[in-house]
Amino acid sequence: MEVTRQNFKESLSTVYNAIEEADFLAIDGEFSGISDGPNVSALTNGLDTPEERYTKLKKHSMDFLLFQFGLCTFKYDEVASKYIIKTFNFYVFPKPFNRTSTDIKFICQSSSIDFLASQGFDFNKVFCHGIPYLNQEQEVQMREQYEERRSQSNGSGTNSYVSPNSKGPGSIPDEHREYIKRVVEKVESLFTTSEKTVDLEPCTGFQRKLIYQTLNWKFPKGIHVETLETDKKERYMQISKVDEEERKRREREKLEREQEELNDAVGFSRVIHAISKSGKLVVGHNMLLDVMHTIHQFYCALPEDLNDFKEVTQCVFPRLLDTKLMATTQPFKDLINNTSLAELQKQLKQSPFKTPNVVPAEGFPSYDTAQEQLHEAGYDAYITGLCFIAMANYLGSFLTPPKPHIPARSKLIEPFFNKLFLMRIIDIPYLNISGPDLQPRRDHVLYVTFPKEWRTSDLYQLFSAFGNIQVSWIDETSAFVCLSQTDQVQIAMNTSRYAESYRIQTYAEYIQGRQSVRQSQVIATQSWSEEGWVKPQHTSMAGTAASYRPSTGKRSSSPVQEEPAQSEHTDGWSVNPLSDKSSKKIKTDGCVQTYAGVVDSRTTEGWLKTQSASDFPRISPVQEEAANETNEAAGGAWELQPSANQSKKGRKVKKRKTDDSETVSTLFEVPQVW
């Protein structure tokens, strides 16, 4: 169903009902661009930390516009063993509601616009009929404007512009005295004639203010004053002769109109509020940008700090699942060789996967996957949901007995919750929204600075004695170089000791230097209170992130700039606890939560476990699901593989003893990443 400003109101109840009855929701967004400066390789360095990646995307992607939002709701019919879907394609545009509304500025990237145009995207529906929206701050500002106007209007109970001595209105500038005098005469004539209303000529905002304050003082009862607009958007005032009952009735009608106008202005944000309030599982494909844009446009400006962003995200979307991460993780990784959305959907039609039984609800479009409609947000959301169902149901094949349908709330799926795929990072596959991120050892990584004339070939030549290397460019004069062996690092450092044109640091030295710079900046921005206490400062990571300069097009691509590479150094993870943040608040429909209070303390078991390898859960998700189904006792643990190179051992059965000394076996090992 296509939804524009023209049919948004009448469609809203249908959208609400679809969200409320759904088992899970799939979303997708189309944007006016991706990066406002750096090319993709610079924006997605292979050795970014999660903090650096978040800062880059916030700095270089949030000025673009999410102007098409796809939503597909999936409801499982137990009797017919099929999913009933309802697909919505929303066209979204921040049309200014009135003269005082925020005039949103956004940018376009020519390559993105050209690509969408080639796919048949209808930009007229966006710009001419796009649904408006307000974020929470803008909504508050608009409410305050209404309150201020109401305080000026007749019958509001507060004559804000009457002078304290109540002998007359506030001072009227000399140049407006004659104009106000004529207005008063017109109003006085209402009481001596049969006319019930008088319309004044369009006037300025300041003149309207003077009229309100004068009439409120001179005619405290008997009239109703209202500001209206002509067809040409010119604002004028209408004064009506009314009794007290009629005046109150008109005030009620005015309040109702204002509330309706406010709802119209909030617009599409009401859909996001409904998704948030439902608490349903929200599924996307490579969805980090979708989540960031959705929060940024429809809730609040993104926080500077990554941990604050995680807390906001958990408040807005309690449960997220990224199908791209799911497809690149065991037990799917060895079965799927291309995780782009279109190719993933094709591969999941083949054995050992099964095509889900899905039918559209009455009155909703029926998509044919044989005739691809990629990059229409509603269609992309639809096939994202299909991919999720196919992979979730495949997990049911490991149960005893096998289970053909795995619901969205199954414990089998929980290991994938709230982990968003991170593109092109060698050794950190996901951003953990509900906890600390993986901290890989990068002892094999060198930080190299060099003249800007250098190219990738120069770095390969410099490190030719060390075998295969990977180069990740940071900017025109620096890059990370990954050696194949950690014990080669010191040799490389020794050979560069007397070099003049370049400099080599270990990754640890690089991080230590950045931390020193960050601490210096924090100290430099601290101020002292009168009592001598240091006032805390909220500093931005933007100033300390690595430089991102656009490529000149001269250098060749390094291996990590082509596709996300698999690292041989995936062992030795460590986890840092979330830093203690000050309490902040974000409002969602029906709940106000503090940022610090949103973080879930539960540990995730299964495929994507982030604890050390010695800290295993006693029962695997698969075994727990089986236990629920058969009421039989089950034990064992999901073993974490130390390296991606061992992923083919995924189904090897191992034995462990539980606390009660019973011998149990796991179904298969699960690698930590990749």
Side-chain angles (χ1 to χ4, degrees):
M1 175 186 291
E2 283 198 343
V3 185
T4 64
R5 189 167 69 247
Q6 295 172 315
N7 67 338
F8 178 66
K9 281 186 181 180
E10 62 191 58
S11 303
L12 201 53
S13 60
T14 303
V15 176
Y16 287 163
N17 291 335
I19 293 172
E20 184 62 29
E21 68 185 14
D23 292 317
F24 74 91
L25 317 171
I27 66 169
D28 183 75
E30 297 296 337
F31 314 108
S32 63
I34 300 297
S35 173
D36 65 4
N39 57 22
V40 174
S41 62
L43 193 64
T44 56
N45 184 280
L47 288 167
D48 280 339
T49 63
E51 292 82 2
E52 288 170 337
R53 177 60 58 82
Y54 171 72
T55 300
K56 287 181 180 181
L57 293 177
K58 179 181 180 298
K59 179 179 180 181
H60 295 289
S61 295
M62 291 303 104
D63 286 337
F64 295 101
L65 190 69
L66 188 160
F67 50 35
Q68 190 182 57
F69 188 93
L71 170 66
C72 189
T73 67
F74 290 78
K75 179 184 179 182
Y76 189 68
D77 185 337
E78 295 280 356
V79 176
S81 298
K82 63 183 179 182
Y83 275 98
I84 311 298
I85 66 164
K86 296 181 180 180
T87 307
F88 302 90
N89 213 35
F90 299 94
Y91 290 87
V92 182
F93 188 72
K95 178 185 177 183
F97 182 73
N98 55 39
R99 295 181 181 182
T100 60
S101 299
T102 303
D103 192 3
I104 301 294
K105 297 176 179 61
F106 67 94
I107 59 178
C108 296
Q109 195 169 11
S110 58
S111 59
S112 296
I113 298 301
D114 179 65
F115 176 77
L116 289 174
S118 70
Q119 301 294 315
F121 189 91
D122 192 341
F123 293 96
N124 282 331
K125 288 184 179 178
V126 172
F127 300 129
C128 298
H129 306 297
I131 307 166
Y133 59 85
L134 297 176
N135 63 27
Q136 290 186 347
E137 182 180 355
Q138 293 164 345
E139 181 182 351
V140 169
Q141 291 175 349
M142 190 168 181
R143 290 185 185 278
E144 290 175 348
Q145 291 171 6
Y146 277 127
E147 289 296 330
E148 184 177 351
R149 288 209 303 268
R150 196 176 299 124
S151 69
Q152 299 176 24
S153 64
N154 186 42
S156 65
T158 303
N159 297 330
S160 302
Y161 300 99
V162 176
S163 60
N165 57 21
S166 298
K167 295 181 179 179
S171 67
I172 300 175
D174 293 340
E175 62 269 24
H176 293 286
R177 288 184 181 275
E178 187 62 30
Y179 173 76
I180 296 299
K181 180 181 178 182
R182 291 198 301 270
V183 169
V184 171
E185 290 174 351
K186 288 183 179 181
V187 175
E188 287 176 337
S189 68
L190 282 176
F191 294 96
T192 58
T193 64
S194 60
E195 296 292 332
K196 293 187 176 181
T197 63
V198 59
D199 293 338
L200 304 181
E201 293 294 323
C203 56
T204 66
F206 182 69
Q207 288 173 324
R208 290 195 298 273
K209 172 183 173 181
L210 295 176
I211 292 171
Y212 271 121
Q213 72 175 24
T214 302
L215 297 184
N216 276 339
W217 167 73
K218 194 169 183 64
F219 304 98
K221 294 182 179 180
I223 65 170
H224 175 77
V225 183
E226 188 171 5
T227 299
L228 304 174
E229 279 190 355
T230 67
D231 294 338
K232 297 180 179 180
K233 302 296 182 181
E234 295 176 325
R235 308 192 76 180
Y236 69 96
M237 301 185 74
Q238 184 180 81
I239 296 95
S240 304
K241 182 172 58 177
V242 295
D243 56 24
E244 187 63 15
E245 183 177 346
E246 176 68 10
R247 185 189 68 78
K248 290 180 178 180
R249 185 187 67 81
R250 293 198 181 192
E251 285 299 323
R252 287 194 301 269
E253 291 179 351
K254 183 178 180 181
L255 286 174
E256 291 173 359
R257 285 197 305 271
E258 288 180 352
Q259 185 59 48
E260 185 176 357
E261 289 174 355
L262 184 59
N263 289 336
D264 290 343
V266 174
F268 179 72
S269 296
R270 298 167 70 185
V271 175
I272 305 301
H273 296 165
I275 294 174
S276 174
K277 186 178 179 180
S278 74
K280 301 291 177 66
L281 175 65
V282 177
V283 178
H285 187 82
N286 199 10
M287 66 188 304
L288 178 56
L289 267 181
D290 297 283
V291 171
M292 292 179 68
H293 272 283
T294 299
I295 292 174
H296 180 70
Q297 288 186 204
F298 309 120
Y299 262 91
C300 61
L302 294 179
E304 296 293 333
D305 183 77
L306 175 61
N307 287 330
D308 285 346
F309 167 71
K310 291 181 179 182
E311 293 162 1
V312 173
T313 301
Q314 280 205 293
C315 188
V316 179
F317 297 118
R319 292 194 301 157
L320 296 171
L321 187 143
D322 195 324
T323 53
K324 188 171 182 72
L325 177 68
M326 196 173 183
T328 54
T329 310
Q330 294 293 4
F332 306 103
K333 180 181 180 296
D334 292 336
L335 304 172
I336 299 171
N337 55 34
N338 190 329
T339 59
S340 66
L341 183 57
E343 293 301 316
L344 176 62
Q345 192 269 333
K346 292 176 182 177
Q347 292 182 61
L348 291 175
K349 290 181 177 180
Q350 305 169 8
S351 180
F353 304 101
K354 295 181 181 179
T355 302
N357 186 8
V358 175
V359 296
E362 184 178 353
F364 284 82
S366 175
Y367 285 119
D368 182 4
T369 56
Q371 298 177 345
E372 295 181 346
Q373 295 174 250
L374 295 171
H375 305 291
E376 176 186 293
Y379 177 79
D380 285 358
Y382 163 67
I383 62 175
T384 296
L386 294 184
C387 291
F388 166 68
I389 296 170
M391 289 189 287
N393 288 346
Y394 175 73
L395 296 177
S397 65
F398 296 103
L399 296 174
T400 304
K403 188 177 179 182
H405 168 66
I406 299 299
R409 289 189 174 273
S410 169
K411 290 185 179 297
L412 291 174
I413 305 168
E414 284 187 2
F416 300 100
F417 284 174
N418 294 335
K419 295 176 175 63
L420 306 185
F421 183 77
L422 287 175
M423 289 184 62
R424 295 185 175 90
I425 295 185
I426 298 172
D427 50 9
I428 306 178
Y430 59 84
L431 178 68
N432 187 7
I433 296 297
S434 57
D437 292 302
L438 299 173
Q439 300 285 333
R441 287 206 303 259
R442 291 178 172 176
D443 299 341
H444 64 300
V445 179
L446 297 173
Y447 172 68
V448 188
T449 55
F450 42 78
K452 65 179 180 180
E453 292 78 19
W454 279 35
R455 301 293 174 258
T456 303
S457 58
D458 297 310
L459 291 171
Y460 277 112
Q461 183 177 355
L462 177 63
F463 292 94
S464 59
F466 301 98
N468 293 330
I469 65 169
Q470 289 180 321
V471 178
S472 296
W473 285 90
I474 299 174
D475 55 29
E476 291 181 331
T477 60
S478 63
F480 292 122
V481 175
C482 302
L483 304 182
S484 58
Q485 300 294 331
T486 302
D487 55 13
Q488 295 175 336
V489 169
Q490 192 56 50
I491 301 174
M493 296 291 293
N494 292 337
T495 57
S496 67
R497 185 174 301 172
Y498 302 106
E500 296 182 358
S501 59
Y502 65 91
R503 184 187 177 195
I504 299 178
Q505 290 180 286
T506 65
Y507 186 81
E509 291 172 340
Y510 164 75
I511 293 297
Q512 185 178 5
R514 286 172 55 92
Q515 290 174 345
S516 298
V517 171
R518 188 177 295 115
Q519 290 173 358
S520 299
Q521 291 176 337
V522 170
I523 293 173
T525 56
Q526 286 179 338
S527 60
W528 296 85
S529 66
E530 293 180 358
E531 293 81 8
W533 294 94
V534 178
K535 296 179 180 178
Q537 299 290 329
H538 297 280
T539 58
S540 168
M541 287 181 60
T544 61
S547 303
Y548 336 108
R549 301 183 187 176
S551 172
T552 59
K554 298 178 182 178
R555 61 171 65 98
S556 60
S557 297
S558 68
V560 296
Q561 293 170 352
E562 299 298 330
E563 285 293 330
Q566 297 181 10
S567 172
E568 297 181 359
H569 302 272
T570 54
D571 56 337
W573 300 94
S574 63
V575 182
N576 291 333
L578 286 173
S579 58
D580 185 18
K581 298 295 172 186
S582 58
S583 177
K584 302 177 184 178
K585 290 186 178 180
I586 179 170
K587 176 178 178 291
T588 60
D589 283 5
C591 81
V592 177
Q593 305 184 43
T594 63
Y595 284 177
V598 174
V599 179
D600 194 346
S601 60
R602 294 175 299 173
T603 58
T604 302
E605 300 179 355
W607 291 280
L608 301 175
K609 186 175 174 66
T610 59
Q611 283 80 4
S612 63
S614 62
D615 182 21
F616 295 129
R618 187 169 173 270
I619 297 180
S620 74
V622 172
Q623 293 163 336
E624 186 168 346
E625 189 83 13
N628 292 336
E629 291 292 314
T630 63
N631 293 321
E632 296 176 355
W638 291 72
E639 302 290 344
L640 300 183
Q641 291 175 286
S643 169
N645 295 332
Q646 297 176 342
S647 61
K648 294 186 182 295
K649 300 178 182 177
R651 303 193 184 188
K652 183 177 179 181
V653 176
K654 287 194 174 184
K655 294 184 177 181
R656 290 186 70 204
K657 287 189 176 181
T658 58
D659 295 338
D660 54 6
S661 300
E662 293 180 358
T663 302
V664 294
S665 62
T666 61
L667 296 178
F668 49 80
E669 295 181 359
V670 183
Q672 188 162 358
V673 295
W674 303 100

